[in-house]
Amino acid sequence: MTKNSSVLKFIEEMKSIVNPKDVVWIDGSEKQLEALRKTACEKNEIIKLNQEKLPGCYLRRTNPNDVARTESRTIICTPTKEEAGPTNNWWEPKYAYEKVLGIAKNSYENKTMYVIPYSMGIPGSTFAKIGIELTDSIYTVLNMAIMTRVGKNILDILGDSDDWVRGLHATCDVDEEKRYVCHFPQDKTIISVNSEYGGNVLLGKKCFALRIASYMGKKENWLAEHMLILGIKRPGCETKYVCAAFPSACGKTNFAMLIPPEIYRKKGYKVWCVGDDISWLRIGKDGRLWAINPENGFFGVAPGTSMKSNPNALISTQKNTIFTNVVQNLDDNTVWWEGLDKNPPENALDWKGNPWNGKTSSEKGAHPNSRFTAPTKNCPCLSPEFDNPEGVPISAIIFGGRRAHTMPLVYEALSWSHGVFIGSSLSSESTAASTGKTGVLKHNPMAMMPFCGYNMGDYFSHWIKMGKMLGKNAPKIFNVNWFKTNEKGDFIWPGYGENIRVLDWILDRCENKTKAKSTPIGYMPHERDINLEESGIKKEDLSKLLEVDTSAWLNETEKIKEFYSIFKEKLPRELQDELKSLIFRLKNN
Ligand code: OXD
Ligand code: MN
């Protein structure tokens, strides 16, 4: 399929290590993909679902030890430890290559090597970058064919260039003790062994589009971020776009596909989804910040997705979708997960494939991190700009976490560097998207902690530098928190579609249509400026949501100080100054 010598050399090298029985190039054709689906069904790697109710849909059960990203075994392999920084696992590259290639050795024996040429972003556009993933897993091929733009045309665009990201995925024995996801940013190389779970093996996603791309962005003056992109059409205004960074499973997909409440819809509000997980941001010719979603599919968390919580996501999963680790309803060969509806199947198999009765079982049927891999094109609110190779201009950047206390519903940064400070001190209660305990408060700067491919102190400096380059064109930065709770532990803010009320204020601020209140933590809305019309939200609840508790905030600054200390001299002076100024403002309020 190609004469590109760097591609052929890489494949030969990897072949000599993993030792496949044959090599198949993925050309992107429906015919080839359909044949692969058939083979995977025959080998019981995937299960064909009811094709009348769920056309083109399949189910996959992964090994129960392999259900989430393994952060503790995700490694940045740079010549020095300092380049990887204090928040990443680090291995010296020579050691890493020997170790993981040693594990992968002969692991393709009697298996086919699939070569997947793919593009992150519209093939051939300024934003786009090319990768080639080698894998022994058809499930991985089928997922990559949804999540990225795959095919022969990518090799044509690549031509003779060796500017592409190398990827080797070896399923091996799915042994969790030998599972590693290694990144070599200098070599633009990713090697993943002993997993078959999405985030560990769909190498275009977190590995390339965030870890390797963040490193490229630093060198080339752009940003690769863990951010959704959405467009908001307000009556009488042109559509404006915002990016938002939330840690995994904090409702990013729901926010990206928000449906405004009826009263807003009647007025003419509409939200368009450009992306739900990753943004690549560049300074455009006009000096503004422009963003694309480099992916082509959604790899969304299934539990909790319903016609009520996110009809756009649910509709996106009704055709040509791969479900992973959800319940299989044996009566009609469809799927189910907790939170889909109040009618769990009685005659079913749980995510491990064991008999399961949703009416009587006390166990969950779907894994909390079970997923759907769905084409973006299925999304009813997909932005008409999704395929625009230039991307969309960004008016605001929003950070947010899952915080029961302290963080108000919304506040605005005083400046770009204050916004970088807010992003860098983002923290959230942990969820099931990665292995480890849930419900623990963790720092997660820009929601990038598990995804930054280099020293996070340098990453903060890069953000500061981007702000300087953007100058007066820099978008405003905001922080939101949908998850504040009352004394009983219940969420105060209803979230979901009602979040448009906060977006409305954010856009008013971006367009200089409303004044804000100055507080020690930043600009905040006057209560009258958050429209509660037909929301059922009480005024006193809004006051609680907009409260700034000085002593809780001073306590927060202590935690930030402690977190910052890990970056030592890499912490940019601007962020130290922002922390000092915040403490000063809180003490002198
Ligand atoms: C994801 C994640 O899968 O952030 O998007 O974990
Ligand atoms: Mn994510």
Side-chain angles (χ1 to χ4, degrees):
M1 285 230 288
T2 180
K3 294 204 177 91
N4 182 310
S5 55
S6 59
V7 173
L8 298 175
K9 182 166 168 267
F10 177 69
I11 294 174
E12 280 314 310
E13 270 171 27
M14 291 303 119
K15 263 172 67 182
S16 73
I17 295 168
V18 297
N19 197 13
K21 86 169 175 333
D22 56 1
V23 175
V24 169
W25 292 73
I26 300 302
D27 60 17
S29 69
E30 184 46 32
K31 187 166 162 240
Q32 186 187 39
L33 292 172
E34 190 50 32
L36 288 172
R37 289 181 201 114
K38 197 160 166 273
T39 311
C41 286
E42 281 159 13
K43 291 163 97 184
N44 277 331
E45 286 177 17
I46 56 173
I47 297 162
K48 196 169 195 167
L49 293 164
N50 183 326
Q51 295 298 297
E52 263 153 46
K53 293 192 174 168
L54 296 169
C57 291
Y58 293 82
L59 168 67
R60 160 80 182 189
R61 295 188 194 103
T62 63
N63 186 314
N65 79 23
D66 189 31
V67 292
R69 285 183 291 100
T70 15
E71 285 173 18
S72 61
R73 290 170 170 274
T74 295
I75 299 155
I76 302 297
C77 309
T78 44
T80 64
K81 184 164 170 34
E82 198 191 18
E83 287 162 275
T87 61
N88 281 315
N89 300 309
W90 173 79
W91 277 352
E92 194 277 314
K94 187 165 175 287
Y95 168 82
Y97 279 123
E98 274 171 19
K99 173 121 180 162
V100 283
L101 291 176
I103 292 172
K105 193 156 180 60
N106 293 328
S107 68
Y108 279 39
E109 239 169 27
N110 300 320
K111 290 168 114 183
T112 297
M113 171 184 276
Y114 297 99
V115 181
I116 316 171
Y118 65 96
S119 173
M120 301 310 294
I122 308 284
S125 71
T126 332
F127 271 103
K129 299 265 180 201
I130 289 176
I132 295 179
E133 175 167 354
L134 312 180
T135 180
D136 55 351
S137 147
I138 299 181
Y139 167 72
T140 301
V141 174
L142 297 175
N143 273 276
M144 282 294 284
I146 297 174
M147 293 306 297
T148 72
R149 294 157 171 102
V150 163
K152 163 143 179 31
N153 61 323
I154 308 301
L155 291 170
D156 300 340
I157 292 167
L158 184 64
D160 291 335
S161 167
D162 78 345
D163 185 13
W164 54 279
V165 172
R166 285 100 174 119
L168 173 73
H169 164 234
T171 308
C172 304
D173 303 319
V174 202
D175 177 348
E176 53 190 328
E177 296 303 322
K178 293 190 190 147
R179 181 169 302 150
Y180 297 106
V181 189
C182 287
H183 304 71
F184 303 82
Q186 279 86 355
D187 301 346
K188 294 191 195 137
T189 298
I190 308 156
I191 302 178
S192 170
V193 293
N194 274 299
S195 174
E196 233 184 334
Y197 169 79
N200 295 333
V201 303
L202 307 179
L203 301 186
K205 192 173 176 64
K206 304 296 189 182
C207 302
F208 178 171
L210 288 177
R211 298 194 190 96
I212 300 285
S214 60
Y215 176 84
M216 293 172 165
K218 160 97 174 147
K219 289 211 310 204
E220 299 165 7
N221 289 330
W222 54 281
L223 291 164
E225 296 298 326
H226 192 202
M227 289 179 175
L228 63 88
I229 312 166
L230 60 80
I232 313 149
K233 173 86 184 84
R234 305 200 293 170
C237 308
E238 62 181 65
T239 305
K240 298 279 173 178
Y241 298 89
V242 306
C243 281
F246 298 87
S248 306
C250 271
K252 236 160 95 208
T253 305
N254 292 344
F255 191 46
M257 299 178 188
L258 179 155
I259 298 184
E262 198 184 343
I263 173 149
Y264 273 81
R265 291 203 302 275
K266 276 197 194 140
K267 286 184 193 164
Y269 281 73
K270 165 94 189 157
V271 170
W272 297 101
C273 172
V274 183
D276 78 325
D277 197 37
I278 298 176
S279 304
W280 284 0
L281 300 125
R282 282 179 186 271
I283 301 175
K285 289 190 198 87
D286 62 358
R288 289 188 294 170
L289 193 61
W290 290 70
I292 61 149
N293 166 11
E295 302 191 276
N296 205 25
F298 304 118
F299 185 61
V301 177
T305 307
S306 70
M307 272 320 265
K308 199 156 161 254
S309 68
N310 192 342
N312 287 315
L314 191 63
I315 293 166
S316 303
T317 67
Q318 300 303 289
K319 59 179 184 202
N320 305 329
T321 292
I322 302 172
F323 297 93
T324 303
N325 293 338
V326 297
V327 172
Q328 183 183 10
N329 181 341
L330 293 177
D331 286 334
D332 63 355
N333 195 23
T334 57
V335 287
W336 191 87
W337 49 78
E338 279 68 22
L340 174 65
D341 57 37
K342 295 214 162 61
N343 193 21
E346 293 176 56
N347 176 26
L349 298 179
D350 69 6
W351 68 275
K352 292 184 187 159
N354 296 323
W356 185 79
N357 181 335
K359 295 277 188 308
T360 56
S361 177
S362 55
E363 301 282 311
K364 282 197 176 10
H367 187 275
N369 192 35
S370 54
R371 298 280 177 148
F372 53 80
T373 317
T376 34
K377 287 280 146 62
N378 284 359
C379 181
C381 66
L382 187 68
S383 166
E385 298 300 313
F386 171 72
D387 272 332
N388 187 338
E390 304 298 320
V392 292
I394 297 303
S395 299
I397 291 175
I398 303 173
F399 293 113
R402 184 180 280 269
R403 295 293 305 263
H405 309 287
T406 316
M407 289 298 149
L409 179 64
V410 58
Y411 69 101
E412 178 190 325
L414 302 169
S415 62
W416 178 271
S417 57
H418 181 228
V420 178
F421 167 77
I422 291 172
S424 72
S425 51
L426 189 67
S427 54
S428 188
E429 281 135 25
S430 62
T431 64
S434 74
T435 47
K437 263 181 138 176
T438 57
V440 181
L441 192 68
K442 281 191 187 164
H443 275 278
N444 191 344
M446 281 82 172
M448 278 289 279
M449 186 84 142
F451 308 121
C452 183
Y454 62 101
N455 190 310
M456 230 176 183
D458 290 332
Y459 166 79
F460 297 151
S461 299
H462 180 47
W463 263 82
I464 299 280
K465 179 178 168 199
M466 288 293 290
K468 289 190 181 140
M469 289 172 70
L470 283 158
K472 63 176 183 13
N473 288 315
K476 283 184 189 288
I477 300 180
F478 298 81
N479 191 82
V480 299
N481 176 24
W482 317 132
F483 300 96
K484 208 168 178 192
T485 56
N486 60 19
E487 311 72 45
K488 287 193 258 154
D490 299 327
F491 294 125
I492 310 175
W493 180 251
Y496 299 102
E498 305 297 337
N499 294 339
I500 191 83
R501 299 173 192 274
V502 174
L503 274 175
D504 213 15
W505 181 78
I506 288 177
L507 287 189
D508 277 349
R509 288 295 296 160
C510 294
E511 290 166 18
N512 290 321
K513 286 188 179 155
T514 187
K515 291 220 161 33
K517 205 159 75 177
S518 262
T519 79
I521 63 167
Y523 298 121
M524 291 187 63
H526 292 285
E527 284 179 26
R528 58 171 188 268
D529 289 333
I530 299 284
N531 179 6
L532 293 184
E533 211 182 349
E534 289 190 15
S535 69
I537 302 160
K538 296 199 212 85
K539 276 233 174 296
E540 57 266 34
D541 282 342
L542 184 63
S543 314
K544 258 189 232 142
L545 288 164
L546 295 176
E547 204 172 68
V548 179
D549 176 341
T550 310
S551 75
W553 267 93
L554 279 168
N555 192 18
E556 186 82 17
T557 60
E558 287 303 314
K559 290 192 206 142
I560 299 172
K561 204 188 280 173
E562 196 187 318
F563 175 61
Y564 271 3
S565 68
I566 64 173
F567 298 105
K568 304 210 171 91
E569 68 288 351
K570 286 280 185 191
L571 187 77
R573 203 203 57 244
E574 286 85 349
L575 296 190
Q576 294 172 27
D577 292 348
E578 287 296 341
L579 178 59
K580 275 194 215 136
S581 308
L582 172 62
I583 296 171
F584 178 85
R585 292 193 303 267
L586 287 164
K587 288 194 173 155
N588 293 281
N589 181 25

